[in-house]
Every structure is written in C-alpha cells, then in structure tokens.
Amino acid sequence: HTLADSRLLVTNRDSSGHETVEVIHEALIQQWRRLQEWLTEDRAFRVWQNRARAFLQIWQRGAQDTDALLRGLALAEAERWLTERPDDLEEKLVGFIQASLEARQAREERERQRSRELELALAESQRLERRALARQLGAQADQLMKRKSDLALLLASEALQRSDQPQDRTDLLTTLDVNPFLEKILHGH
C-alpha cells in the first residue's frame, strides 16, 4: 500500500473480483529485480491459466470425457500451480485438475494391476514349462532304462529336480523300472 500511496502503483479489481496492480513508472519495473521476478512468474501463471481454461472448456463440451483430461507434462504443470497458487484458481478449474489427477491415479493403478497379472501369468508359464520338461525327461529316462541305465538315472534325477508337483514325482518313480535302492536315492533327491 505504501507504493500505491506514493503513486508508484495503482490497484484495481478485475471483472472476477481479483485485485490487480498496475505499475505507473517504467523505471520501477527496470530497477526492481524482485518485482521483475513477480511479473515474470505471474505472466507464466496467467499464460498457463488461459491455456488450462481452454482445456477445461473442451472437457466440459465433451461431457467430461476422461480422454479430454490433462495428462503428462500439462497435468504436472497444473498440479504445480494448484499447489503453489490454489487461491488464484477458480473452482471449476480446480475440479478439472483434481479429476485429471484422479484419472492419472486410476491409470497408474490399472497399470500396476496389469503388471501383477503379467508377472503371475509369466510365473505360471514358467512353471508349466518346467513341468513339461520334467515329464519329457522322465519319458526319455523310461525309454533308456533297459539300454542305458546310467543315462536314464541322470535323466530321471534331472526330471525329479525340475518337477514341482508331488504327483509328477510319484508317476515318474512308479513308471521307471528301478530297484528299491535306486528309488530311495532318486526319491531323496
């Protein structure tokens, strides 16, 4: 108010009721570094605010379609201004930014859920591959048991290591024609 009383600044109100300040003397703008910073910051805010209002109108005309919400850098900038200057934003614009933030959170949650599902599917696929390989090794061991029992036992041992199902292990051991001593060795593996 001291600057206004000295007639260096003129205060007024805009059509929305916000207080405005107009600098009367150009020398004040050029010499007052902090004032220059404020003007630059305010100019950046006002440019963003006009752009955000345009996005808001598009969203409103589109029946508040989530595809018209802010995303990426535009949302990050809106979030910053919402944090820094919440009192300078009209209620509709705040609602638009909050709807955009909620949509981002929902997208991130869906992405996390898809990642979890993919990890589970991958783990199941790997388990099924191990099981198929164990059965294949067991079948080869069974075929070789009469001709090459040493190789057959190695294959059977490998099949047992790769099998994670007790029933598969039991099936392999009952299928192989091995003596009880070797069965204990394989079963203990």
Side-chain angles (χ1 to χ4, degrees):
H1 291 286
T2 304
L3 295 175
D5 292 342
S6 303
R7 296 185 175 263
L8 296 172
L9 301 176
V10 174
T11 60
N12 207 346
R13 293 204 178 272
D14 64 14
S15 59
S16 62
H18 289 99
E19 188 173 7
T20 63
V21 177
E22 184 180 342
V23 178
I24 298 300
H25 294 285
E26 189 68 28
L28 186 61
I29 295 174
Q30 293 172 357
Q31 299 301 318
W32 191 6
R33 182 178 301 276
R34 182 63 186 135
L35 177 61
Q36 290 174 350
E37 292 171 4
W38 287 337
L39 291 173
T40 301
E41 181 180 307
D42 193 58
R43 187 176 310 117
F45 173 73
R46 297 297 173 202
V47 167
W48 168 82
Q49 191 177 38
N50 288 334
R51 196 170 56 243
R53 285 176 180 151
F55 287 131
L56 170 63
Q57 289 176 351
I58 293 169
W59 180 62
Q60 288 173 328
R61 275 189 246 129
Q64 299 182 349
D65 182 13
T66 56
D67 289 337
L69 291 170
L70 297 172
R71 294 175 183 243
L73 293 175
L75 180 55
E77 186 178 17
E79 187 175 19
R80 179 176 67 90
W81 287 121
L82 180 62
T83 302
E84 291 179 11
R85 297 183 68 168
D87 296 336
D88 294 331
L89 299 174
E90 59 262 24
E91 189 176 323
K92 288 180 181 181
L93 193 53
V94 170
F96 175 57
I97 295 168
Q98 289 174 337
S100 298
L101 291 169
E102 289 168 6
R104 178 181 69 187
Q105 185 176 359
R107 281 191 309 274
E108 289 171 351
E109 182 55 38
R110 283 192 304 273
E111 186 60 36
R112 281 191 294 274
Q113 181 62 30
R114 276 194 292 264
S115 292
R116 285 191 295 267
E117 289 170 359
L118 183 59
E119 287 174 11
L120 289 174
L122 182 60
E124 179 63 14
S125 173
Q126 289 173 344
R127 190 187 69 74
L128 291 174
E129 285 178 22
R130 279 193 318 271
R131 189 174 184 195
L133 180 58
R135 288 180 175 200
Q136 182 182 7
L137 291 171
Q140 289 173 345
D142 185 41
Q143 291 174 358
L144 291 172
M145 190 54 74
K146 299 286 187 223
R147 294 177 290 136
K148 295 185 177 181
S149 59
D150 55 343
L151 180 56
L153 290 174
L154 286 173
L155 288 173
S157 175
E158 188 64 26
L160 289 169
Q161 284 182 351
R162 293 180 184 268
S163 179
D164 60 353
Q165 297 294 317
Q167 186 59 45
D168 289 344
R169 290 186 195 114
T170 302
D171 291 347
L172 177 63
L173 290 172
T174 54
T175 301
L176 293 174
D177 184 23
V178 292
N179 67 43
F181 176 71
L182 291 176
E183 187 174 328
K184 284 183 183 178
I185 292 172
L186 288 174
H187 201 59
H189 207 353

